[in-house]
Amino acid sequence: MPETLRNLIGGRWTEPPPSNTIESVNPARASDVLARVPRSSEAEVDAAVDAARRAFDAWRLTPAPRRGEVLIRAGELLARRKEDLGRLVTREMGKVLKEGLGDVQEAIDMAFYMAGEGRRLSGETVPSELPDKDAKSVRVPVGVCALITPWNFPVAIPAWKIFPALVCGNTVVFKPSSLTPVCATRLVEILVEAGLPPGVLNLVHGTGSEAGGALVSHAGIDAVSFTGSCDTGEGIEQACGALHRSVSTEMGGKNAIVVMDDADLDLAVEGAIWGGFGTSGQRCTAAARIVVHEKVCDSFLEKFAGRAKALRLGDGLDPSTDVGPVVSQEQMNKVLDYIEIGRKEGARLLCGGKRKVSGSLAEGWFIEPTVFADVDPKMRIAREEIFGPVVAVIRARDLAHAIEIVNGTKYGLSSAIYTRDVNKSAIAERDMDTGLVYVNASTIGAEIQLPFGGTKGSGSGPREAGGRGGALDFFTKWKVIYRDFSGRLQKAQIDRG
Ligand code: UN1
């Protein structure tokens, strides 16, 4: 019997009207329904924003180290429940169990890292140009934050947003993907158990177009952080721009691995397999393009297609599975359409290309790992984000040509180069126009203590995660305080005469 999920508003778990629900379904087995989920409307969004607004003052005035302690307890609970949560991630969105566990680990890392920010959150103290006056900048919370998250990292990405938002003193309305509401609910339950006061974190389930749309344009929201598709993200950027509301978007990529003629080819093949087919290609950081030096392209293709063909498709909970399903039937159809587009554009299909329905796979959304060779950078399969297990291999004449191809899409999230030549590596590091650059590693594997995000169409606003220029810059605003204790009128620049 699937459970019925509830919204969390002002510390109370509220039942949706039974007629207005959607289902969360296991993508490996469509008959396995995990939950019925509220399909919230404007009324629930209103109530949640209102609750967050009322909780804001008390939370903002709670010392930041105390706010951090809630995250420490949440991190401990996540660690204790890692195995169960990892399995839930796999069951609800399909990635293989090892990756499901990695998803949870990323949230644990973020909890402990951001908890530490409770004792830092530093600004600057600088000398004043006047006597008996001091000057400092402090970080203050932004207010009520709307956090809208995707299904591909159903625990990690909510944690990337919720944890820094909370430690900075904001209150939150969280709208997770309607495809992964159970994972979102378990995460919120953990934060409640960790001691978060009522109203500080509110959970509203529902669709992007209804609950998400109402939230983004709600008058009581101060900032919106969104991860998801370009179309939705661009709409959110426009809505927030019109409302003078700060916004951070993380919207995907068409990431490329460059393989030079001096590369360790076996290592590059491994990186391409992991980057291209890990999470069934459903990462914003997935290696959707492999740009290979023409001298080694044929041998690369032979090894790469050989490895791709040998990958075992299946339920991610089965330890022998290499690649799980894609998340939904809709996603599967979109990916299959792109494969058809690639064929029509004249790319050479080396392996895969079909849905797999044999035996126990018939009930799920499985697509064979697919490799296209002879891809022209102008083809749609080389430019548009597919978000599935489809990799386009493109030939390059030399490093300059390879970098031109890497930079030739509207995206700029992640890129990688395999080479043993330090000079080539340095040039690629400098010239590949992406937010993340990997050397002798795949396009995925970002760590939480550094900013995460991309250039161009991959997103806008301050980056996610840690480090300078990361999430704290989004979830706080600067306040500068000048204190004059001279007891007389001082006028800064004018006093210089
Ligand atoms: C995403 O691709 O949506 O680097 C996030 C990685 C992960 C995060 C990816 N740590 O692939």
Side-chain angles (χ1 to χ4, degrees):
M1 183 64 187
E3 68 176 306
T4 300
L5 298 180
R6 294 173 294 172
N7 290 329
L8 178 66
I9 297 177
R12 289 193 26 238
W13 292 96
T14 54
E15 288 276 350
S19 58
N20 211 1
T21 56
I22 35 188
E23 285 181 340
S24 167
V25 176
N26 180 347
R29 205 151 31 92
S31 61
D32 178 20
V33 178
L34 281 77
R36 257 186 281 285
V37 192
R39 181 171 173 166
S40 307
S41 63
E42 238 179 282
E44 282 86 17
V45 169
D46 269 349
V49 175
D50 190 48
R53 178 61 56 204
R54 278 185 279 115
F56 178 57
D57 265 338
W59 186 243
R60 145 181 104 80
L61 297 173
T62 302
R66 293 267 170 281
R67 300 194 298 247
E69 283 166 16
V70 175
L71 297 189
I72 292 177
R73 288 193 290 275
E76 286 165 352
L77 288 167
L78 281 164
R80 215 174 300 150
R81 293 177 200 164
K82 180 173 167 182
E83 182 68 30
D84 284 351
L85 285 169
R87 298 183 86 80
L88 173 65
V89 168
T90 298
R91 186 170 161 225
E92 194 167 39
M93 66 67 68
K95 64 173 74 170
V96 297
L97 181 56
K98 270 194 186 136
E99 294 180 26
L101 293 167
D103 202 308
V104 180
Q105 186 59 47
E106 203 155 337
I108 297 168
D109 296 342
M110 191 61 98
F112 293 135
Y113 181 87
M114 284 298 165
E117 287 301 341
R119 291 191 182 268
R120 284 186 294 266
L121 278 183
S122 51
E124 275 188 309
T125 307
V126 293
S128 166
E129 65 189 54
L130 294 169
D132 299 327
K133 182 180 173 191
D134 54 29
K136 65 182 175 188
S137 62
V138 295
R139 290 183 183 272
V140 295
V142 177
V144 178
C145 299
L147 308 181
I148 302 177
T149 58
W151 45 263
N152 68 334
F153 280 82
V155 180
I157 293 182
W160 288 9
K161 297 186 193 297
I162 295 172
F163 296 169
L166 294 179
V167 81
C168 290
N170 303 283
T171 56
V172 169
V173 180
F174 168 37
K175 208 299 279 171
S177 164
S178 54
L179 293 173
T180 49
V182 185
C183 290
T185 302
R186 297 289 101 91
L187 177 66
V188 170
E189 287 166 354
I190 281 177
L191 281 154
V192 171
E193 204 177 322
L196 208 60
V200 171
L201 172 63
N202 303 277
L203 169 65
V204 178
H205 291 291
T207 63
S209 54
E210 293 162 315
L215 188 56
V216 164
S217 53
H218 195 288
I221 292 292
D222 298 296
V224 179
S225 175
F226 167 83
T227 298
S229 76
C230 252
D231 287 350
T232 308
E234 282 166 12
I236 289 177
E237 285 170 356
Q238 281 164 15
C240 290
L243 294 163
H244 301 291
R245 180 164 295 175
S246 59
V247 59
S248 157
T249 55
E250 207 275 279
M251 304 187 293
K254 191 71 184 177
N255 315 291
I257 295 177
V258 173
V259 182
M260 293 307 295
D261 51 343
D262 64 292
D264 175 339
L265 217 53
D266 291 322
L267 189 65
V269 167
E270 262 188 273
I273 290 285
W274 170 226
F277 304 119
T279 328
S280 307
Q282 302 169 110
R283 292 186 181 227
C284 349
T285 53
R289 299 179 294 157
I290 317 291
V291 182
V292 189
H293 193 288
E294 58 189 10
K295 275 196 202 147
V296 292
C297 197
D298 289 337
S299 38
F300 175 87
L301 280 171
E302 199 188 316
K303 286 173 191 259
F304 183 51
R307 285 284 302 273
K309 269 184 224 158
L311 293 171
R312 278 164 309 207
L313 272 176
D315 186 328
L317 289 175
D318 176 344
S320 68
T321 295
D322 296 310
V323 179
V326 296
V327 74
S328 66
Q329 188 170 23
E330 192 190 346
Q331 189 65 21
M332 179 182 73
N333 290 337
K334 181 186 152 202
V335 175
L336 291 172
D337 283 351
Y338 266 111
I339 293 173
E340 196 46 40
I341 289 168
R343 279 207 181 101
K344 287 201 180 122
E345 286 179 309
R348 181 160 56 98
L349 185 67
L350 273 193
C351 65
K354 294 190 301 294
R355 176 179 181 189
K356 200 153 181 183
V357 286
S358 53
S360 62
L361 303 190
E363 249 206 285
W365 321 125
F366 293 94
I367 300 179
E368 295 168 340
T370 299
V371 178
F372 278 110
D374 302 340
V375 176
D376 186 289
K378 289 193 201 70
M379 290 177 183
R380 284 182 63 192
I381 58 160
R383 288 186 291 116
E384 297 175 19
E385 187 178 47
I386 299 173
F387 228 63
V390 181
V391 174
V393 180
I394 305 171
R395 269 171 214 265
R397 293 183 299 276
D398 53 24
L399 180 62
H401 185 214
I403 292 174
E404 186 189 316
I405 295 168
V406 170
N407 292 341
T409 73
K410 72 169 189 171
Y411 295 105
L413 183 55
S414 182
S415 62
I417 181 165
Y418 281 85
T419 179
R420 284 185 269 217
D421 181 328
V422 66
N423 294 356
K424 292 201 170 88
S425 165
I427 291 167
E429 288 167 35
R430 185 191 62 194
D431 292 343
M432 294 200 297
D433 183 14
T434 53
L436 309 163
V437 173
Y438 291 87
V439 179
N440 292 326
S442 193
T443 51
I444 64 187
E447 301 178 26
I448 59 98
Q449 67 277 25
L450 283 161
F452 179 93
T455 62
K456 301 190 285 183
S458 287
S460 63
R463 301 280 161 89
E464 305 225 69
R468 278 169 176 266
L472 298 191
D473 283 355
F474 183 67
F475 289 112
T476 59
K477 50 192 179 188
W478 288 112
K479 180 180 277 187
V480 172
I481 301 170
Y482 298 104
R483 179 171 48 183
D484 191 318
F485 48 97
S486 68
R488 58 184 191 278
L489 177 65
Q490 301 198 90
K491 298 183 194 134
Q493 298 78 13
I494 289 127
D495 289 352
R496 293 290 296 271

